[in-house]
């Protein structure tokens, strides 16, 4: 059957913003220009931080945060960072890339976010930070996590790759809740570029300056290199597209919430576990859990609906982290075995959303 509903229709979502790319292409200025300056300023204002530093992608954003803390003497290789066990592998790669040790903590089975009841028991004398990942677009931050970080003098790092615009409470948005946050603008994100792009947000003046230098070969001024840096900068084309999209982000997120609310209110199938409605989320991913996940995916495919799995193999079962393969993390493993992501994006029609809800109810 021909697909009647794409998982994510990037062509439709991006069509209104093609002019932003054209303007850059005809400007003759492609890096470190006015588009980048404007987007960094406006995104910092939107998130609610003093600084935004554009970089090449979301993984670089997180890695640069840890690199900067090492340069500042806040962390040294071998120190520990508490991370959620169920996350996209980039969260963990950023830690090991810097010679730091990830300590995996299971999620709360009701929220899919790191379980704040388990964090303190994972703290040791070598712990220097807690990373929370706002997975699927849900807010992972809790006051309990903040209290633990204050009590043990730990940095709180946010992986905000999936939660642009999400709030913990008014006026606080994710990305401004901890010491620093990494953001990804990969094309599929709620705020997506036309290619790879990322950013760091923080209120820390020294941290921001070092991150900016590290992403520019380690240089704070031309041909003077204070650090062994890398080339990780947002380009003008991506900055221009993101600048054009930013004013529409809240409306797009509101549309995602409308679709998510429809699913949650309409779907009543004991074979499916739907997410909670009261959680703060921008619905980057709408996760459905089912013990018959693969059958459900094939059933929806047969009826013309694209889906994805986020993510089929948890980080501790990946070959690149072979030392962890024998770990038993049952909640993480259950989520990764049962999760199916169904379409939930602002280009969807009401008819598509209703049709998918009906299909989910009819699955047996």
């Amino acid at each position: 059957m021909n697909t009647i509903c794409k998982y994510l229709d990037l062509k439709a979502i991006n069509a209104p913003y093609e002019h932003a790319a054209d303007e850059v292409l005809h400007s003759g200025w492609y890096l470190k220009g006015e588009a980048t300056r404007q987007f960094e300023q406006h995104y910092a204002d939107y998130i609610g931080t003093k600084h935004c530093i554009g970089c090449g992608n979301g993984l670089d954003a997180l890695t640069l945060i840890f690199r900067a803390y090492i340069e500042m003497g806040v962390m040294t290789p071998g120190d520990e960072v508490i991370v959620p066990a169920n996350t996209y592998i980039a969260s963990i790669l950023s830690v090991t890339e810097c010679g730091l040790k990830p300590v995996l903590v299971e999620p709360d089975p009701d929220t899919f976010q790191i379980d704040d009841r388990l964090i303190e028991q994972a703290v040791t004398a070598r712990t220097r930070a807690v990373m929370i990942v706002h997975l699927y677009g849900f807010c992972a931050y809790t006051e309990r996590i903040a209290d633990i970080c204050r009590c043990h003098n730990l940095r709180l790092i946010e992986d905000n790759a999936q939660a642009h615009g999400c709030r913990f409470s008014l006026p606080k948005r994710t990305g401004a809740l901890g010491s620093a946050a990494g953001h990804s603008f990969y094309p599929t994100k709620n705020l997506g570029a036309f290619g790879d792009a990322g950013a760091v947000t923080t209120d820390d003046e020294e941290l921001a300056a070092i991150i900016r230098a590290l992403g520019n070969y380690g240089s704070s001024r031309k041909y003077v290199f204070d650090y062994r840096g890398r080339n990780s900068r947002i380009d003008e084309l991506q900055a221009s597209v993101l600048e054009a999209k930013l004013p529409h982000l809240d409306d797009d997120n509101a549309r995602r919430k409308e679709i998510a609310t429809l699913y949650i209110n309409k779907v009543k199938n004991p074979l499916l576990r739907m997410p909670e409605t009261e959680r703060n989320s921008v619905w980057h991913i709408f996760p459905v859990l089912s013990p018959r996940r693969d059958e459900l995916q094939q059933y929806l495919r047969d009826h013309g609906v694209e889906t994805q799995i986020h993510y089929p193999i948890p980080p501790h079962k990946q070959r690149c982290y072979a030392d962890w393969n024998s770990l038993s993390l049952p909640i993480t493993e259950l989520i990764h075995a049962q999760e199916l992501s169904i379409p939930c994006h602002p280009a969807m029609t009401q008819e598509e959303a209703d049709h998918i809800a009906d299909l989910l109810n009819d699955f047996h």
Side-chain angles (χ1 to χ4, degrees):
M1 185 180 204
N2 291 331
T3 298
I4 59 171
C5 186
K6 295 182 177 181
Y7 176 72
L8 184 64
D9 192 345
L10 284 180
K11 184 175 181 179
I13 289 171
N14 287 331
Y17 306 105
E18 292 176 358
H19 67 90
D22 291 338
E23 290 170 6
V24 173
L25 291 174
H26 291 98
S27 72
W29 195 289
Y30 307 120
L31 270 173
K32 300 177 70 174
E34 184 62 18
T36 295
R37 188 196 65 77
Q38 287 190 353
F39 174 68
E40 288 181 338
Q41 177 184 329
H42 293 154
Y43 193 64
D45 291 343
Y46 175 82
I47 293 295
T49 57
K50 295 178 181 177
H51 305 282
C52 169
I53 307 97
C55 59
N57 53 68
L59 173 57
D60 280 1
L62 293 171
T63 304
L64 288 168
I65 291 170
F66 291 117
R67 275 289 313 277
Y69 277 132
I70 290 171
E71 294 291 350
M72 293 167 65
V74 173
M75 301 178 190
T76 59
D79 285 342
E80 296 173 355
V81 178
I82 293 172
V83 297
N86 65 315
T87 183
Y88 184 57
I89 203 163
S91 311
I92 295 170
L93 287 172
S94 69
V95 178
T96 57
E97 173 75 11
C98 295
L100 303 168
K101 180 183 177 182
V103 177
L104 305 180
V105 170
E106 285 264 64
D108 183 325
D110 293 327
T111 67
F112 310 131
Q113 310 302 309
I114 191 169
D115 192 334
D116 61 7
R117 298 166 297 185
L118 303 178
I119 291 175
E120 194 152 27
Q121 67 193 46
V123 176
T124 73
R126 294 302 302 271
T127 307
R128 296 294 178 268
V130 175
M131 180 193 290
I132 56 174
V133 181
H134 303 296
L135 196 66
Y136 307 146
F138 292 80
C139 181
Y141 176 89
T142 68
E143 293 287 6
R144 184 174 189 169
I145 294 174
D147 289 342
I148 291 169
C149 289
R150 280 191 291 267
C151 179
H152 295 277
N153 192 29
L154 307 176
R155 298 302 193 274
L156 178 57
I157 313 300
E158 297 175 77
D159 181 340
N160 200 50
Q162 299 186 4
H164 313 116
C166 186
R167 292 186 185 274
F168 167 67
S169 63
L170 289 174
K172 295 182 178 180
R173 294 189 194 269
T174 58
L177 302 173
S179 310
H183 307 251
S184 168
F185 305 119
Y186 186 75
T188 60
K189 306 300 186 185
N190 290 35
L191 183 61
F194 282 6
D196 272 324
V200 174
T201 54
T202 184
D203 285 333
D204 189 321
E205 189 89 28
E206 181 183 7
L207 185 74
I210 295 174
I211 287 171
R212 190 174 294 281
L214 285 169
N216 187 35
Y217 299 98
S219 172
S220 55
R221 55 194 176 96
K222 197 166 184 177
Y223 302 136
V224 177
F225 303 94
D226 300 316
Y227 313 102
R228 298 178 186 179
R230 63 171 64 188
N231 177 13
S232 182
R233 300 172 298 199
I234 194 170
D235 64 63
E236 286 289 280
L237 189 151
Q238 310 308 336
S240 180
V241 169
L242 293 167
E243 173 74 3
K245 285 186 170 188
L246 183 59
H248 306 281
L249 177 58
D250 287 343
D251 287 342
D252 287 346
N253 285 342
R255 177 56 184 152
R256 287 173 180 268
K257 185 173 183 178
E258 288 176 0
I259 296 165
T261 301
L262 181 150
Y263 287 152
I264 292 168
N265 290 339
K266 191 172 182 179
V267 176
K268 308 297 178 185
N269 186 332
L271 293 174
L272 309 178
R273 181 178 154 205
M274 309 294 281
E276 298 176 346
T277 54
E278 63 269 20
R279 296 288 299 172
N280 291 338
S281 180
V282 290
W283 301 102
H284 170 61
I285 290 169
F286 190 96
V288 176
L289 297 192
S290 174
R292 294 165 53 196
R293 187 263 309 281
D294 294 344
E295 291 178 61
L296 176 61
Q297 185 173 42
Q298 184 61 51
Y299 162 79
L300 291 172
R301 184 185 298 120
D302 291 342
H303 288 81
V305 177
E306 288 183 347
T307 59
Q308 291 191 15
I309 297 172
H310 296 92
Y311 301 93
I313 305 173
H316 72 284
K317 296 298 183 182
Q318 298 285 355
R319 187 161 66 95
C320 63
Y321 290 116
D323 290 348
W324 294 345
N325 288 175
S326 61
L327 289 178
S328 175
L329 296 166
I331 298 173
T332 293
E333 291 160 22
L334 178 70
I335 292 171
H336 284 255
Q338 294 191 357
E339 193 276 342
L340 186 68
S341 306
I342 63 175
C344 184
H345 60 82
M348 286 181 66
T349 65
Q350 196 70 22
E351 291 73 21
E352 288 174 324
D354 282 324
H355 179 62
I356 292 170
D358 290 339
L359 286 173
L360 292 173
N361 276 326
D362 291 342
F363 177 70
H364 59 273

